[in-house]
Amino acid sequence: DLGADLLVLGTLARSGVAGVIIGNTATMPQRGVAVTFEGWRGGIVPLSGARLSDVTTVTPAAVLAGALAAAEVFAMLRGEVEAGHRNLGLSLWRPDRSHDWTVAAGDGPALAALPNHLWILGLGHLGQAFLWTLMLCPYSDRAAVRLVLQDTDEVTGSTDSTSILTQEGMLGRRKTRAVADVLDQQGFNTVLVERPFDGGFRRRSEDDPAVLVCGVDNALARSQVEMPGFPFVVEAGIGASAQDFRALRVHTFPSPKSAAEMWGQGAHARGAADLSRPGYRRLSDAGSDICGLTRLAETAVGAPFVGAVAGCLMLAQVLRVLAGDFPDTLIDLDLRSIRSRRAVTNGRLTLFNPGFQPAA
């Protein structure tokens, strides 16, 4: 439906294109990776590598494995030397690099509870990736799940190219209404908020969710995520340039450093584009004008598999709280070098009722 070309397995094996193996097959591509997951752990291994059991009740672990496979195929097509020849993955329970995702020591308990009342701020790349993963979870009663969706933007061509729930025919519609249609069709209850998230916004404790999930790229909005008074906030951001678009960070609040300190006025001044890099020099030598190069250097870049990884990590923070665990105050990773990731435990969270239902 999305325009893929379907090939016979034998043709695929001879074609040399990068392949992704999901489950078992007697026919193997010449190159590629295998998706694997177990418990809270998900990742990829080379075609001949040892796989996990591929059994889990923690849906985000399987989604994570699929997103990492897409990232690895991208790296293979870019000609990156290690791509397709390495184990890559992480544990959503213990995402720090000190935990080996291939062994059970980094795993958590069986999934017992799922969130049933959430406020989602931002319905672009990250917000839709989070909701996609949430939709796939084993809910026993979707009708009891209430999702508050907040955004002020309309669906554009860039939304369609990077956001996983956006489909043909949604262009020009408000993101809240387009995403709500998808969720409603899946049996969830939605409430729409189409006003800006500004300094005057407040949570009403008697009927608003206790958990805010934020996936916006607006520094001002991010600096104010603690102001409305949500007991628990999960926030994520991704890189936007050709140099860092495979990088992502996840934060939770309250934390030792406030959101206002991270993204307040003057905290992150945007630097000028570095036109001395080799690619820009080649374009300049070929006659491109400096203004055109500056616009090219400042063009935002996004890949859906990056948002999908971030969405899994964001949902995992909520699931860990429901399991009685402390979330991470920071997760910092780059898909170009996932082994160098880091995660810092958040010990500042106080007890609260996040709203939940038993997993099916």
Side-chain angles (χ1 to χ4, degrees):
D1 289 346
L2 296 176
D5 293 327
L6 303 182
L7 301 177
V8 178
L9 282 176
T11 303
L12 174 63
R14 296 189 300 271
S15 66
V17 302
V20 176
I21 298 300
I22 302 172
N24 298 313
T25 177
T27 304
M28 300 289 284
Q30 291 180 345
R31 62 183 185 133
V33 295
V35 170
T36 190
F37 52 87
E38 182 177 333
W40 293 73
R41 298 168 288 140
I44 56 168
V45 297
L47 295 175
S48 59
R51 292 163 58 175
L52 303 178
S53 68
D54 296 347
V55 175
T56 185
T57 58
V58 186
T59 304
V63 178
L64 171 68
L68 292 176
E72 191 73 345
V73 169
F74 179 87
M76 291 174 69
L77 295 177
R78 282 177 52 85
E80 297 177 17
V81 176
E82 281 191 292
H85 304 287
R86 55 189 173 180
N87 291 352
L88 280 184
L90 57 86
S91 167
L92 295 173
W93 184 257
R94 292 292 179 265
D96 188 76
R97 65 174 175 266
S98 63
H99 290 85
D100 183 353
W101 70 278
T102 63
V103 299
D107 219 341
L111 188 68
L114 291 166
N116 69 351
H117 202 189
L118 298 169
W119 192 296
I120 315 299
L121 173 63
L123 298 173
H125 188 166
L126 290 170
Q128 292 192 32
F130 175 88
L131 289 167
W132 163 264
T133 311
L134 185 79
M135 283 169 49
L136 296 174
C137 288
Y139 276 99
S140 55
D141 183 7
R142 290 187 172 191
V145 181
R146 186 166 177 256
L147 302 171
V148 180
L149 310 177
Q150 183 172 10
D151 205 306
T152 59
D153 294 333
E154 295 181 349
V155 176
T156 65
S158 63
T159 313
D160 185 38
S161 68
T162 61
S163 303
I164 199 166
L165 296 181
T166 302
Q167 303 293 331
E168 187 177 354
M170 291 183 178
L171 293 180
R173 296 189 63 197
R174 285 190 177 273
K175 289 180 180 178
T176 48
R177 304 175 196 187
V179 172
D181 284 350
V182 175
L183 294 167
D184 291 344
Q185 290 169 9
Q186 296 297 319
F188 296 95
N189 278 318
T190 55
V191 176
L192 310 188
V193 178
E194 296 176 338
R195 54 164 286 190
F197 188 87
D198 54 29
F201 203 87
R202 292 294 180 270
R203 173 182 178 260
R204 297 179 300 176
S205 59
E206 67 275 8
D207 53 11
D208 282 344
V211 178
L212 171 68
V213 177
C214 175
V216 300
D217 59 2
N218 181 298
L220 177 60
R222 296 170 81 183
S223 71
Q224 297 176 345
V225 293
E226 293 181 272
M227 293 177 63
F230 290 91
F232 184 48
V233 178
V234 182
E235 184 278 338
I238 57 177
S241 71
Q243 287 73 45
D244 68 357
F245 73 94
R246 283 184 278 179
L248 64 94
R249 282 182 181 170
V250 176
H251 298 93
T252 63
F253 300 97
S255 74
K257 188 174 184 179
S258 71
E261 290 177 288
M262 291 185 189
W263 299 294
Q265 187 174 6
H268 290 280
R270 184 171 182 176
D274 182 6
L275 302 184
S276 67
R277 297 180 68 87
Y280 297 126
R281 288 204 306 270
R282 288 195 297 270
L283 289 172
S284 179
D285 293 343
S288 297
D289 68 278
I290 188 68
C291 292
L293 290 179
T294 301
R295 287 195 297 271
L296 173 63
E298 294 180 348
T299 298
V301 178
F305 54 77
V306 182
V309 173
C312 292
L313 289 166
M314 294 167 77
L315 180 53
Q317 302 305 301
V318 182
L319 297 179
R320 284 168 57 183
V321 169
L322 291 175
D325 188 38
F326 283 106
D328 293 303
T329 190
L330 168 69
I331 302 174
D332 189 358
L333 69 84
D334 192 318
L335 295 179
R336 294 174 300 178
S337 181
I338 195 171
R339 297 188 187 96
S340 300
R341 67 192 182 275
R342 65 186 177 118
V344 180
T345 303
N346 187 347
R348 295 285 297 273
L349 194 64
T350 57
L351 292 176
F352 72 100
N353 181 7
F356 65 93
Q357 65 171 260

